[in-house]
Amino acid sequence: MSSIKSAVIDYKPSEMNGNDHYDGSRPWKLDATNIKVTINKNPRTVPDPGSAEERSQKVCSDHMVSAVWTLKDGWQQPEITPYGPLPIMPTANVLHYATECFEGLKLYRGMDGKLRLFRPLANCARMVKSAERISLPGFEPEALVEMIRRLCAMDGSKWLPAHCRGSFLYIRPALIGTDPCLGFEVPKEALLYVVISYWPQPSYSDGARGLRLLASEAEELRAWPGGTGFAKIGPNYGPALKAHGRAKRTGCDQVLWLYGEDCQITEAGSSNVFIVRRESNRQLQMVTPPLEGGSILAGVTRQSILELVRARLSGDTTKEVGPVESIEKNFTMGELLQDLSDGNLEGVFICGTAAFVTSISVIEFRGRTIELPNNNLALVSLLRKWLFDIMYGGEKSEWADIIEEF
Ligand SMILES: *Cc1c(COP(=O)(O)O)cnc(C)c1O
């Protein structure tokens, strides 16, 4: 298995251009070796399991970590402070021009009682790419990993105590343009911060149910060639809420985002999509849309699944599943329907940090209810087990980053 260093996105700082007209592409030194800490003197209680407060997803842990950037002085020393409101002006650039990017990862309490992050460097490197796209300052991804590790070390023991084996907290790094200048220009001030959100605890049997997806309409696109689909920037998500709301109202779980006249399958909600099918020679194949073209979000889970399948299920295998060929190429609704009628479709699943690996049972497509087969259960269960074991310490892996608590 490849090391964390080669994870998902290679971060290469762009050249310093020495130009005063900052375009968001310059790397800036962020030093997280010396984080200033202010302890929260009024810590809150952890919501009771099953409580409305837990389900609200409004509760965060006692602390946050943040760093201020200005064009003049670069990144200042990061600070851990009590969780609380941000000091930004009503004219702040982010509130008008959506100069924002974010990440999503989880802190896992292992079956061995240890805290772990899963490939955090991949998330932080992706955040640098997102920042560059939305004209926010870059930084060394390792420094953000260090900020996240420190925050988790500080709040992990209380918010995800050692007896909560098999549970997680949700970590949300965000970067916003805070410049109070209302003029339309690249922000000269920004704030990077990380909070830990308290989520309802998972039921890993949920994946067996199978989700219902509502296919997007022809006139509503999530992303397009030359657009920003590859970046985890706020402006990709607000406009997607309308279709998401319609999906929920019609009894679906998420939107299946299609693109083009041939209805290419791209993503589902905030998850990547895999189609499992048989070639004419009966070879089992996993197809997921390619990253080239810039419309697909390069999911860490997607990449991990591709790497695991290529390492463990290609060629002859004695496993209960396989061999499986994994291919990155476009796949249309027409091809899906053809496979379905030819008996070649094994199933569809989605994957992401939030969704984990989950089968799809139904696609509502322009007035048609398409019931999908679920013949790929063994493959999906295997992928879930492999990832679960790495995240929760059942298998030793370079992808797991153990957090020492204090
Ligand atoms: C975050 C996200 C994903 C999943 O990425 P992971 O790194 O696996 O969590 C997929 N698609 C979209 C649009 C996303 O925002």
Side-chain angles (χ1 to χ4, degrees):
M1 198 173 295
S2 59
S3 75
I4 281 189
K5 285 269 184 286
S6 69
V8 190
I9 301 117
D10 280 334
Y11 170 67
K12 291 199 188 62
S14 321
E15 297 288 318
M16 289 275 205
N17 56 18
N19 189 333
D20 284 346
H21 298 283
Y22 176 56
D23 67 356
S25 65
R26 208 169 116 182
W28 296 81
K29 177 81 192 154
L30 172 60
D31 182 358
T33 54
N34 184 21
I35 299 176
K36 189 179 161 210
V37 178
T38 308
I39 299 285
N40 189 341
K41 298 245 173 53
N42 295 300
R44 59 181 303 162
T45 50
V46 180
D48 289 329
S51 63
E53 199 184 23
E54 183 194 59
R55 284 194 306 276
S56 75
Q57 299 191 351
K58 291 180 184 172
V59 178
C60 285
S61 72
D62 295 319
H63 298 93
M64 57 197 280
V65 63
S66 55
V68 168
W69 172 89
T70 63
L71 182 61
K72 193 165 141 285
D73 298 324
W75 288 109
Q76 289 159 40
Q77 179 189 14
E79 271 191 70
I80 288 180
T81 54
Y83 175 81
L86 300 176
I88 62 170
M89 298 306 281
T91 51
N93 193 285
V94 60
L95 300 178
H96 303 271
Y97 312 121
T99 42
E100 191 260 5
C101 61
F102 64 97
E103 270 303 324
L105 57 166
K106 285 174 175 173
L107 177 64
Y108 303 92
R109 176 64 76 181
M111 299 321 239
D112 57 356
K114 290 189 181 150
L115 287 179
R116 285 180 181 76
L117 299 167
F118 180 75
R119 308 186 85 174
L121 188 59
N123 290 91
C124 296
R126 185 170 71 191
M127 187 154 178
V128 173
K129 288 200 163 184
S130 300
E132 177 165 8
R133 182 61 188 84
I134 198 75
S135 296
L136 289 169
F139 47 84
E140 297 84 353
E142 291 81 1
L144 179 56
V145 173
E146 188 53 30
M147 288 166 66
I148 293 170
R149 293 179 57 104
R150 286 291 304 275
L151 183 65
C152 291
M154 192 144 168
D155 281 357
S157 309
K158 171 179 166 185
W159 288 82
L160 194 59
H163 67 264
C164 291
R165 298 175 182 203
S167 296
F168 63 80
L169 297 171
Y170 184 81
I171 304 166
R172 170 55 57 87
L175 174 57
I176 57 176
T178 48
D179 195 332
C181 167
L182 198 52
F184 180 64
E185 53 181 60
V186 173
K188 296 186 179 68
E189 296 172 27
L191 178 71
L192 172 65
Y193 64 92
V194 183
V195 298
I196 300 179
S197 170
Y198 193 76
W199 273 19
Q201 287 315 303
S203 153
Y204 280 94
S205 56
D206 283 358
R209 182 171 66 89
L211 301 178
R212 297 177 78 92
L213 300 182
L214 175 65
S216 59
E217 298 295 329
E219 67 275 10
E220 55 184 359
L221 302 179
R222 186 196 96 86
W224 47 88
T228 57
F230 68 91
K232 228 173 170 69
I233 55 176
N236 283 341
Y237 297 83
L241 284 170
K242 196 172 175 193
H244 182 70
R246 197 173 61 245
K248 289 285 186 187
R249 280 196 305 281
T250 55
C252 292
D253 298 285
Q254 282 179 24
V255 177
L256 177 66
W257 291 104
L258 304 179
Y259 175 78
E261 279 178 8
D262 54 355
C263 296
Q264 293 161 31
I265 293 169
T266 63
E267 300 205 54
S270 298
S271 305
N272 294 113
V273 181
F274 280 85
I275 294 105
V276 186
R277 61 186 297 277
R278 292 210 181 262
E279 269 287 85
S280 42
N281 63 4
R282 306 309 293 156
Q283 154 92 50
L284 201 56
Q285 206 178 60
M286 269 175 34
V287 181
T288 194
L291 303 181
E292 294 79 41
S295 295
I296 304 288
L297 198 289
V300 179
T301 322
R302 171 191 181 278
Q303 185 65 27
S304 302
I305 286 174
L306 287 172
E307 289 176 25
L308 285 171
V309 167
R310 280 167 191 163
R312 301 182 184 181
L313 289 180
S314 63
D316 282 335
T317 157
T318 53
K319 298 246 169 43
E320 59 265 49
V321 179
V324 183
E325 184 187 18
S326 50
I327 303 183
E328 294 167 81
K329 67 161 190 185
N330 287 318
F331 200 79
T332 65
M333 281 304 292
E335 290 173 293
L336 183 116
L337 290 168
Q338 186 66 50
D339 271 354
L340 188 62
S341 68
D342 292 348
N344 288 335
L345 189 68
E346 295 283 310
V348 177
F349 68 86
I350 64 168
C351 67
T353 299
F356 195 43
V357 183
T358 307
S359 294
I360 304 304
S361 56
V362 172
I363 298 175
E364 299 286 352
F365 176 56
R366 318 265 160 98
R368 278 182 70 178
T369 298
I370 303 166
E371 306 264 359
L372 300 174
N374 203 356
N375 307 338
N376 59 322
L377 219 58
L379 175 60
V380 170
S381 316
L382 197 59
L383 294 173
R384 289 166 65 87
K385 183 184 178 329
W386 284 344
L387 288 171
F388 186 95
D389 283 349
I390 295 171
M391 289 160 174
Y392 290 99
E395 178 193 330
K396 209 165 173 299
S397 166
E398 285 182 318
W399 288 353
D401 187 355
I402 296 178
I403 303 292
E404 302 297 341
E405 297 165 69
F406 51 77

